[in-house]
Amino acid sequence: MLQGADVTTSQRTLKEIVSIYERPEAVAPEDLEQIAYKVMAHLPVKEGTAGGLFFGTSILMPGKVGDEYFMTKGHFHSNIDTAEYYWCISGTGALILMDEEGNCQAKEMSPGALHYIPGRVAHRLANTGSCELVVGACWPSDAGHDYATIEKNGFSARLVDVDGVPTLKRV
Ligand code: M6P
Ligand code: ZN
């Protein structure tokens, strides 16, 4: 998806992120090595540089763990006031947002959808479709990723399949 110098590619297997799901035990042992999502990022300046921008593309595979759609780890920004854009390129899914008080909402992701994520709002993608969900993202180079808060408390809602309908369920 992204090409050129300064582009890095990383991937997360289900095994690496299985603890984010409500029912990690629902993943069959033979599926643990499966790639859940890939991230390509253009990082033209050193992380932490004030005033710079990073651009990334997240590619989420379709699938579910139990009734919960495949999703990214999700994060607040370490520099908590920094914002980000998420832009759906292809596929179908949702952008799940959570503020510091734990209020969650899901924004629709279909090709062309653009969402501005303000500072102090955690963000995570879920793929509700049957093909890859491809999302572009642009964020400040001094934003940083705070994964620890989500690892500790999780999101207060989960996107689950209820009779074929993606439904945000409070936990
Ligand atoms: C987007 C950006 C990146 C982020 C990636 C994967 O491309 O927000 O900063 O790393 O999505 O999301 P996560 O880090 O939550 O797994
Ligand atoms: Zn972010």
Side-chain angles (χ1 to χ4, degrees), residues 12 37 39-40 56-58 72-75 77 84 86 123-125 135 137 139 145 147:
R12 304 242 190 226
Y37 62 99
V39 178
M40 303 181 85
T57 306
S58 298
T72 57
K73 284 179 71 160
H75 57 272
H77 289 160
E84 182 161 1
Y86 269 22
H123 35 289
R124 153 181 285 172
L125 289 167
V135 172
W139 68 101
H145 295 81
Y147 292 110

CSV table of all heavy atoms in Angstrom, one decimal, residues 12 37 39-40 56-58 72-75 77 84 86 123-125 135 137 139 145 147, ligand 1:
chain,number,residue,atom,x,y,z
A,12,ARG,N,1.0,-8.0,13.2
A,12,ARG,CA,0.7,-8.6,14.5
A,12,ARG,C,0.0,-9.9,14.3
A,12,ARG,O,-1.0,-9.9,13.5
A,12,ARG,CB,-0.3,-7.6,15.3
A,12,ARG,CG,0.2,-6.2,15.5
A,12,ARG,CD,0.4,-5.9,17.0
A,12,ARG,NE,0.6,-4.5,17.2
A,12,ARG,CZ,1.6,-4.1,18.1
A,12,ARG,NH1,2.4,-5.0,18.7
A,12,ARG,NH2,1.7,-2.8,18.3
A,37,TYR,N,-3.3,-8.2,11.7
A,37,TYR,CA,-3.2,-7.0,10.9
A,37,TYR,C,-1.8,-6.6,10.6
A,37,TYR,O,-0.9,-7.0,11.3
A,37,TYR,CB,-4.0,-5.8,11.5
A,37,TYR,CG,-3.6,-5.3,12.9
A,37,TYR,CD1,-2.8,-4.2,13.1
A,37,TYR,CD2,-4.1,-5.9,14.1
A,37,TYR,CE1,-2.5,-3.7,14.3
A,37,TYR,CE2,-3.8,-5.5,15.3
A,37,TYR,CZ,-3.0,-4.3,15.4
A,37,TYR,OH,-2.7,-3.8,16.7
A,39,VAL,N,0.7,-3.1,9.5
A,39,VAL,CA,0.8,-1.6,9.5
A,39,VAL,C,2.0,-1.2,8.7
A,39,VAL,O,3.1,-1.7,8.9
A,39,VAL,CB,0.9,-1.0,10.9
A,39,VAL,CG1,1.0,0.5,10.8
A,39,VAL,CG2,-0.3,-1.4,11.8
A,40,MET,N,1.7,-0.4,7.7
A,40,MET,CA,2.8,0.2,6.9
A,40,MET,C,2.9,1.6,7.3
A,40,MET,O,1.8,2.3,7.4
A,40,MET,CB,2.6,0.1,5.4
A,40,MET,CG,2.4,-1.4,5.0
A,40,MET,SD,2.2,-1.5,3.3
A,40,MET,CE,3.9,-1.6,2.7
A,56,GLY,N,0.3,6.4,8.0
A,56,GLY,CA,0.3,4.9,8.1
A,56,GLY,C,-0.9,4.3,7.3
A,56,GLY,O,-1.8,5.0,7.1
A,57,THR,N,-0.7,3.0,7.0
A,57,THR,CA,-1.9,2.3,6.5
A,57,THR,C,-2.0,1.0,7.3
A,57,THR,O,-1.1,0.3,7.4
A,57,THR,CB,-1.6,1.9,5.0
A,57,THR,OG1,-1.3,3.1,4.3
A,57,THR,CG2,-2.9,1.3,4.4
A,58,SER,N,-3.2,0.8,7.9
A,58,SER,CA,-3.5,-0.4,8.6
A,58,SER,C,-4.3,-1.3,7.7
A,58,SER,O,-5.3,-0.9,7.1
A,58,SER,CB,-4.3,-0.1,9.9
A,58,SER,OG,-3.6,0.8,10.7
A,72,THR,N,-7.8,-3.9,16.0
A,72,THR,CA,-6.4,-3.5,16.4
A,72,THR,C,-6.3,-3.4,17.9
A,72,THR,O,-7.4,-3.4,18.6
A,72,THR,CB,-6.1,-2.1,15.7
A,72,THR,OG1,-7.1,-1.1,16.1
A,72,THR,CG2,-6.1,-2.2,14.2
A,73,LYS,N,-5.1,-3.3,18.4
A,73,LYS,CA,-4.9,-3.1,19.8
A,73,LYS,C,-5.6,-1.9,20.4
A,73,LYS,O,-6.3,-1.9,21.4
A,73,LYS,CB,-3.4,-3.0,20.2
A,73,LYS,CG,-2.7,-4.3,20.1
A,73,LYS,CD,-1.2,-4.1,20.4
A,73,LYS,CE,-1.0,-3.8,21.9
A,73,LYS,NZ,0.4,-4.0,22.3
A,74,GLY,N,-5.4,-0.8,19.6
A,74,GLY,CA,-6.0,0.5,20.1
A,74,GLY,C,-5.1,1.2,21.1
A,74,GLY,O,-4.4,0.5,21.8
A,75,HIS,N,-5.2,2.5,21.1
A,75,HIS,CA,-4.3,3.3,22.0
A,75,HIS,C,-4.8,4.7,22.2
A,75,HIS,O,-5.6,5.2,21.4
A,75,HIS,CB,-2.9,3.3,21.4
A,75,HIS,CG,-2.9,3.9,20.0
A,75,HIS,ND1,-3.1,3.1,18.8
A,75,HIS,CD2,-2.7,5.2,19.6
A,75,HIS,CE1,-3.0,3.9,17.8
A,75,HIS,NE2,-2.8,5.2,18.2
A,77,HIS,N,-2.9,8.5,22.8
A,77,HIS,CA,-1.5,9.0,22.5
A,77,HIS,C,-0.8,9.3,23.8
A,77,HIS,O,-1.4,9.8,24.8
A,77,HIS,CB,-1.7,10.2,21.6
A,77,HIS,CG,-2.1,9.8,20.2
A,77,HIS,ND1,-2.6,10.7,19.3
A,77,HIS,CD2,-2.0,8.6,19.6
A,77,HIS,CE1,-2.9,10.1,18.2
A,77,HIS,NE2,-2.6,8.8,18.3
A,84,GLU,N,-5.5,12.8,15.4
A,84,GLU,CA,-5.2,11.9,14.3
A,84,GLU,C,-6.3,11.8,13.3
A,84,GLU,O,-7.5,12.0,13.7
A,84,GLU,CB,-4.9,10.5,14.9
A,84,GLU,CG,-4.5,9.5,13.8
A,84,GLU,CD,-3.8,8.3,14.5
A,84,GLU,OE1,-3.6,8.2,15.7
A,84,GLU,OE2,-3.3,7.4,13.7
A,86,TYR,N,-8.2,9.2,10.6
A,86,TYR,CA,-8.3,7.8,10.1
A,86,TYR,C,-9.2,8.0,8.8
A,86,TYR,O,-10.3,8.6,8.9
A,86,TYR,CB,-9.0,6.9,11.1
A,86,TYR,CG,-8.0,6.1,12.0
A,86,TYR,CD1,-6.7,6.6,12.2
A,86,TYR,CD2,-8.4,4.9,12.6
A,86,TYR,CE1,-5.9,5.9,13.1
A,86,TYR,CE2,-7.6,4.2,13.4
A,86,TYR,CZ,-6.3,4.7,13.7
A,86,TYR,OH,-5.5,4.0,14.5
A,123,HIS,N,-8.4,5.1,20.2
A,123,HIS,CA,-9.0,4.7,18.9
A,123,HIS,C,-8.5,3.3,18.6
A,123,HIS,O,-7.4,2.9,18.8
A,123,HIS,CB,-8.6,5.7,17.9
A,123,HIS,CG,-7.2,6.3,18.0
A,123,HIS,ND1,-7.0,7.2,19.0
A,123,HIS,CD2,-6.1,6.1,17.3
A,123,HIS,CE1,-5.7,7.6,18.9
A,123,HIS,NE2,-5.1,6.9,17.9
A,124,ARG,N,-9.5,2.6,18.0
A,124,ARG,CA,-9.3,1.2,17.6
A,124,ARG,C,-10.1,0.9,16.3
A,124,ARG,O,-11.2,1.4,16.2
A,124,ARG,CB,-9.7,0.3,18.8
A,124,ARG,CG,-10.2,-1.1,18.4
A,124,ARG,CD,-10.6,-1.9,19.6
A,124,ARG,NE,-9.4,-2.3,20.4
A,124,ARG,CZ,-9.5,-2.9,21.6
A,124,ARG,NH1,-10.7,-3.1,22.2
A,124,ARG,NH2,-8.4,-3.3,22.2
A,125,LEU,N,-9.6,0.0,15.4
A,125,LEU,CA,-10.4,-0.3,14.3
A,125,LEU,C,-10.9,-1.8,14.4
A,125,LEU,O,-10.2,-2.6,15.0
A,125,LEU,CB,-9.5,-0.3,13.0
A,125,LEU,CG,-9.1,1.1,12.5
A,125,LEU,CD1,-7.9,0.9,11.5
A,125,LEU,CD2,-10.2,1.8,11.9
A,135,VAL,N,-7.1,1.1,6.0
A,135,VAL,CA,-7.4,2.4,6.6
A,135,VAL,C,-6.1,3.2,6.6
A,135,VAL,O,-5.1,2.8,7.1
A,135,VAL,CB,-8.0,2.3,8.0
A,135,VAL,CG1,-8.1,3.7,8.7
A,135,VAL,CG2,-9.3,1.6,7.9
A,137,ALA,N,-3.9,6.6,8.0
A,137,ALA,CA,-3.9,7.3,9.2
A,137,ALA,C,-2.8,8.4,9.1
A,137,ALA,O,-1.8,8.1,8.5
A,137,ALA,CB,-3.7,6.4,10.4
A,139,TRP,N,-0.9,11.2,11.8
A,139,TRP,CA,-0.8,11.6,13.2
A,139,TRP,C,0.6,12.4,13.4
A,139,TRP,O,1.5,12.2,12.7
A,139,TRP,CB,-0.9,10.4,14.1
A,139,TRP,CG,0.2,9.4,14.1
A,139,TRP,CD1,1.1,9.3,15.1
A,139,TRP,CD2,0.4,8.3,13.2
A,139,TRP,NE1,1.9,8.2,14.8
A,139,TRP,CE2,1.5,7.6,13.6
A,139,TRP,CE3,-0.3,7.9,12.0
A,139,TRP,CZ2,2.0,6.5,12.9
A,139,TRP,CZ3,0.2,6.8,11.3
A,139,TRP,CH2,1.3,6.1,11.8
A,145,HIS,N,2.5,6.3,21.4
A,145,HIS,CA,1.4,5.3,21.6
A,145,HIS,C,1.4,5.0,23.1
A,145,HIS,O,2.4,4.5,23.6
A,145,HIS,CB,1.6,4.1,20.8
A,145,HIS,CG,1.6,4.3,19.3
A,145,HIS,ND1,2.6,4.7,18.6
A,145,HIS,CD2,0.6,4.1,18.4
A,145,HIS,CE1,2.3,4.8,17.3
A,145,HIS,NE2,1.1,4.4,17.2
A,147,TYR,N,-0.2,2.3,25.0
A,147,TYR,CA,-0.9,1.0,25.0
A,147,TYR,C,-1.3,0.6,26.4
A,147,TYR,O,-2.2,-0.2,26.6
A,147,TYR,CB,-0.1,-0.1,24.3
A,147,TYR,CG,0.1,0.1,22.8
A,147,TYR,CD1,1.4,0.5,22.3
A,147,TYR,CD2,-0.9,0.0,21.9
A,147,TYR,CE1,1.6,0.7,20.9
A,147,TYR,CE2,-0.8,0.2,20.5
A,147,TYR,CZ,0.5,0.6,20.1
A,147,TYR,OH,0.7,0.8,18.7
B,1,M6P,C1,-2.7,3.4,12.5
B,1,M6P,C2,-2.0,4.5,13.3
B,1,M6P,C3,-0.7,3.9,13.9
B,1,M6P,C4,-1.1,2.6,14.7
B,1,M6P,C5,-1.8,1.6,13.7
B,1,M6P,C6,-2.2,0.3,14.4
B,1,M6P,O1,-1.9,3.2,11.3
B,1,M6P,O2,-2.9,4.9,14.3
B,1,M6P,O3,-0.2,4.8,14.8
B,1,M6P,O4,0.1,2.0,15.2
B,1,M6P,O5,-2.9,2.3,13.2
B,1,M6P,O6,-3.0,0.5,15.5
B,1,M6P,P1,-2.5,0.0,16.9
B,1,M6P,O7,-1.1,0.7,17.2
B,1,M6P,O8,-3.6,0.5,17.9
B,1,M6P,O9,-2.4,-1.4,16.9
